[in-house]
Each structure stands twice: as structure tokens, then as C-alpha cells.
Amino acid sequence: MSELLGRIHSFESFALVDGPGVRCSVFLHGCALRCKFCHNPDTWTPCSSLTLMTPEELHRKLMRYRPYWKNNGGVTFSGGEPLLQLEFVTKVCQLLKKDGVHVCIDTAGQPFRPDDADWLHRFDALLDVTDLFIVDIKMFSDRLHRELTGQGNANILAMLRYLSDNRKAMWIRHVLVPGVTDDETDLTQMAAFIATLHRVRRVEILPYHTLGVGKWQKLGLNYPLEGVPTPTEEAIRRAEALLGADQYK
């Protein structure tokens, strides 16, 4: 058995929005972004709920849920940020692919290292056993991205180009926060960038919600978007139009 250990936060055994079909979602610990709208701040750093598992242990656990997937679903790795545990996730995906399981990586792309040949070699091993990447583009402008997340996005956009060059299937998502991530110029520039990518299968707007506020409070953190409303249906439709979401359906 491998001595490699993954830091697991939680599981959702019957997920319907984390990729095609019915899926088991694995939420991993660790993330370098500090998104103001994050609904999983308890995944940022290890905590008392941390579960350590080897790839083989996680593989066995996931396969117990296969009756839910049948031939229309699979496993999604989310977080937190799954790419921070690149070797662990790759090993589990390799085991899953041997069993013919559809594998999805839900990532914000922040750990991507475009100038690190060794890291890219290890990332390529993950590409070989991943069917779909779901990538959340927070903002297109590097300045606005830094204001929202505390980090720049040049390497994130580079990851999307890398996935495109390697012809990996992608879903692109954008969280719509009124007055924060709904800038028309930014959305227009984002749409133009997405249009240059190969194999984008879906572009989605995720309406901002406040379901994670209680987690911020429990962690003793000040919630930075206090009082910000959820977007209206009109605002959602406008953002979808700006991103050209309909052409990817």
C-alpha cells in the first residue's frame, strides 16, 4: 500500500452539479486563494476534521458508491484546491480509470506552474487520467482577481491555455457577485479569452449565495461581503449573454 497520504475534508456521495451525471465529490484540504465569496473557508488550512487516507483507501471507499453512478456519472475532486495534492489525486485517478470511472477535476488553477518542467511533467500524468476539468475563472483582470482572491491569475489563464493545447475537455464557471464580479468589461474580456480555447463544453454562471457565511463566523473570520445580495435573474441572464454561454450548450 502507498505511503502517500491525502488530506480529505469531506465527501458528497450523491452530487448532481459537480460534473455530468450523478457523482461522488471528494473535497480536499488546502487552498492558496482567499476568495471573498468562498463557501468552504474551512478547507483553506488543515483542521480537526481532517481525514488522512492513502490512494488505495480512498479508491476503495469511492468504489462503494458506484451503484449510484451506473453509467452516467463518476468521481469529482474538488476542495479546497485538488491540484495542491497533485500526486495523491493523480494516483487515485489512475486507480479509478483502471475501473473505467469517469474522473473530473474541479479546480481554480492557482497551483499551476507554467515554468516548472518537473511540475508540468507531474501535471501531465494527471491529464492522462482525467476526463473533464471544471475551472472557475474568478475574474479576468489580474488586478481585480488580486482584489477578490489575494492572488494574481496569470498562471491560471496559462493553465487554461495548457488544457486547451492538450485538447482536454473543460467546463468554465464564473461566480456572479453583484457589484463585485459582474463588471461588463471584465466579462467581455473573459468571453473573448474563452472563445480562443479548444474543447470548452460548457460555460456556466454560478449565482452568488451566502450558504457559507456560517462557516466564516464559526472560524472567527469577518465575512467581507456582508450585505451583498444574491444576483437577480436578470443579472444572471445578462452575464450569460456577455459570456456567450448559450453557444456552449
Side-chain angles (χ1 to χ4, degrees):
M1 180 176 289
S2 173
E3 294 182 359
L4 182 63
L5 293 175
R7 303 180 302 278
I8 313 298
H9 175 269
S10 58
F11 299 89
E12 185 175 351
S13 60
F14 201 84
L16 299 174
V17 296
D18 296 334
V22 177
R23 312 190 69 79
C24 181
S25 293
V26 184
F27 296 90
L28 301 170
H29 268 290
C31 187
L33 299 180
R34 293 297 180 263
C35 301
K36 293 179 179 179
F37 54 73
C38 182
H39 61 277
N40 286 327
D42 48 340
T43 65
W44 288 350
T45 57
C47 63
S48 59
S49 64
L50 176 68
T51 299
L52 297 176
M53 301 182 76
T54 67
E56 294 81 5
E57 288 171 336
L58 179 55
H59 171 250
R60 286 195 296 270
K61 180 180 178 67
L62 292 172
M63 292 307 293
R64 292 201 294 267
Y65 297 113
R66 192 166 195 170
Y68 293 147
W69 320 329
K70 298 181 180 178
N71 296 318
N72 185 33
V75 173
T76 297
F77 293 89
S78 187
E81 173 52 67
L83 297 187
L84 285 177
Q85 301 187 53
L86 182 57
E87 288 79 8
F88 174 77
V89 171
T90 299
K91 179 60 178 177
V92 182
C93 290
Q94 289 170 344
L95 295 171
L96 290 168
K97 292 310 293 180
K98 288 180 180 179
D99 291 318
V101 177
H102 184 280
V103 173
C104 176
I105 304 295
D106 186 353
T107 175
Q110 192 280 329
F112 187 74
R113 303 177 192 172
D115 300 319
D116 185 333
D118 177 66
W119 195 92
L120 287 175
H121 178 72
R122 291 181 282 128
F123 186 61
D124 286 342
L126 178 63
L127 263 60
D128 289 341
V129 287
T130 300
D131 298 289
L132 174 68
F133 283 83
I134 300 176
V135 186
D136 182 7
I137 304 181
K138 314 294 183 180
M139 301 291 292
F140 186 76
S141 159
D142 186 80
R143 176 183 63 81
L144 294 176
H145 195 278
R146 289 180 184 277
E147 291 177 3
L148 180 67
T149 72
Q151 300 281 346
N153 69 350
N155 64 322
I156 295 170
L157 299 180
M159 187 196 74
L160 285 158
R161 295 188 191 98
Y162 193 85
L163 293 175
S164 173
D165 291 344
N166 283 275
R167 299 303 195 269
K168 298 305 296 186
M170 288 180 274
W171 287 7
I172 306 296
R173 289 176 166 175
H174 176 70
V175 179
L176 188 68
V177 185
V180 180
T181 67
D182 58 355
D183 179 80
E184 182 170 340
T185 298
D186 199 70
L187 289 171
T188 301
Q189 292 173 342
M190 190 183 301
F193 172 75
I194 293 171
T196 69
L197 303 175
H198 300 289
R199 297 201 70 197
V200 175
R201 298 295 185 241
R202 183 176 298 186
V203 174
E204 296 180 320
I205 290 293
L206 301 183
Y208 164 71
H209 62 73
T210 58
L211 298 178
V213 174
K215 295 181 181 180
W216 287 72
Q217 295 170 342
K218 186 175 181 179
L219 293 168
L221 301 173
N222 292 323
Y223 187 63
L225 299 182
E226 189 70 39
V228 174
T230 57
T232 64
E233 285 297 321
E234 180 182 359
I236 295 169
R237 299 288 87 80
R238 170 181 171 274
E240 288 176 338
L242 288 169
L243 286 181
D246 283 348
Q247 66 182 292
Y248 299 97
K249 292 181 178 178

